[in-house]
């Protein structure tokens, strides 16, 4: 409700922007009161974020003032961030800020201890084109081994997930680095081709562990799950579910039409037990494959 247009809300928003900066600066201080060891979740939403904000947060993490942080979210960024950025002489949040947050904050060891044990990352509101790449690189380098929830959906603004990032996710899956994932939301990833989705699907199918705990794999509004495609996903999945237990291989992989690049390996992943916990692809049906 606080995002309505008008001078009243604009003045409130500008004050909040300043206060957020002061809060993050305080977190970077050496004061004992700046240390929040019991803070488990930090959500930044409904205000402008900049690369400078992310640098401050990364410093607070690096010096160990948030040692208990396990869940981090960026949601609902302002629609007038460009105008506000010009006023404050700041650029809006970009790749540099996300890189600083990931590499200088989450990944860097704190005061000689291990890096943060992040379990949940929701960056659906960052609106940074290609912003998922630093996270994907960190995943591939074994930096988020405890992570169980990742949300990089792009319902508005530029797509965070690039083809390079998705290939790195695939590499992390194949290497068994993110087997604890229970939910992966990549909905709205419109710029990734079906061929690249096929590469990801094959990586799951060919991996040793697959994604054994994954319950939700949200791929709505992507190149492989347009409005008509989920029907084929559902039908293919149901064939796997209904297969005889002694079936040596799945016979209809080659009959999936133009969706075969993604669907063939995806169905094979189900058949091989690489996705044993899967309940939903982001749809509303009881089984979720809709």
């Amino acid at each position: 409700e606080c995002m309505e247009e008008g001078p009243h809300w604009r003045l409130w928003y500008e004050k909040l922007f300043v206060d957020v900066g002061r809060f993050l600066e305080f977190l970077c201080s050496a004061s004992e009161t700046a240390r929040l060891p019991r803070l488990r979740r930090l959500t930044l939403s409904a205000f402008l974020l900049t690369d400078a904000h992310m640098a401050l947060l990364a410093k607070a993490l690096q010096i160990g003032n948030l040692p208990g942080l396990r869940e981090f979210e960026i949601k609902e960024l302002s629609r007038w961030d460009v105008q506000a950025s010009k006023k404050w002489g700041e650029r809006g949040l970009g790749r540099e800020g996300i890189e600083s947050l990931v590499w200088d904050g989450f990944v860097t060891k704190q005061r000689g201890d291990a890096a943060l044990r992040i379990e949940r990352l929701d960056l659906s509101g960052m609106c940074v084109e290609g912003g998922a790449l630093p996270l994907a690189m960190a995943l591939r380098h074994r930096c988020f081994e405890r992570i169980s929830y990742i949300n990089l959906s792009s319902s508005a603004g530029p797509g965070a997930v690039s083809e390079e990032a998705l290939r790195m996710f695939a590499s992390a899956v194949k290497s068994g680095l993110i087997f604890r994932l229970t939910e992966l939301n990549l909905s709205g990833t419109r710029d990734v081709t079906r061929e690249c989705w096929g590469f990801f699907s094959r990586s799951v199918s060919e991996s040793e562990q697959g994604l054994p705990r994954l319950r939700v794999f949200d791929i709505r509004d992507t190149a492989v799950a347009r409005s008509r495609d989920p029907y084929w996903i559902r039908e293919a999945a149901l064939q796997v579910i209904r297969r005889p237990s002694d079936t040596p291989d799945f016979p209809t992989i080659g009959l999936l039409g133009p969706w075969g690049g993604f669907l063939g390996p995806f169905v094979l992943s189900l058949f091989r037990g690489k996705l044993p916990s899967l309940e939903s692809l982001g749809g509303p049906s009881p089984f979720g494959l809709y």
Side-chain angles (χ1 to χ4, degrees), residues 42-54:
L42 178 59
T43 300
L44 302 177
S45 63
F47 49 76
L48 173 68
L49 293 174
T50 67
D51 287 349
H53 285 143
M54 292 298 99

Side-chain angles (χ1 to χ4, degrees), residues 81-137:
D81 56 351
V82 175
Q83 182 179 350
S85 295
K86 290 179 179 178
K87 175 169 182 178
W88 296 106
E90 297 266 14
R91 291 187 306 131
L93 182 60
R95 270 276 295 275
E96 184 178 338
I98 299 300
E99 288 175 356
S100 177
L101 174 67
V102 172
W103 292 108
D104 299 332
F106 293 144
V107 174
T108 300
K109 292 184 178 180
Q110 305 177 60
R111 293 180 176 174
D113 297 329
L116 280 174
R117 297 177 177 179
I118 294 294
E119 300 170 2
R120 180 185 178 96
L121 273 176
D122 185 344
L123 303 179
S124 57
M126 65 179 171
C127 295
V128 176
E129 186 171 3
L133 187 58
L135 172 61
M137 293 175 65

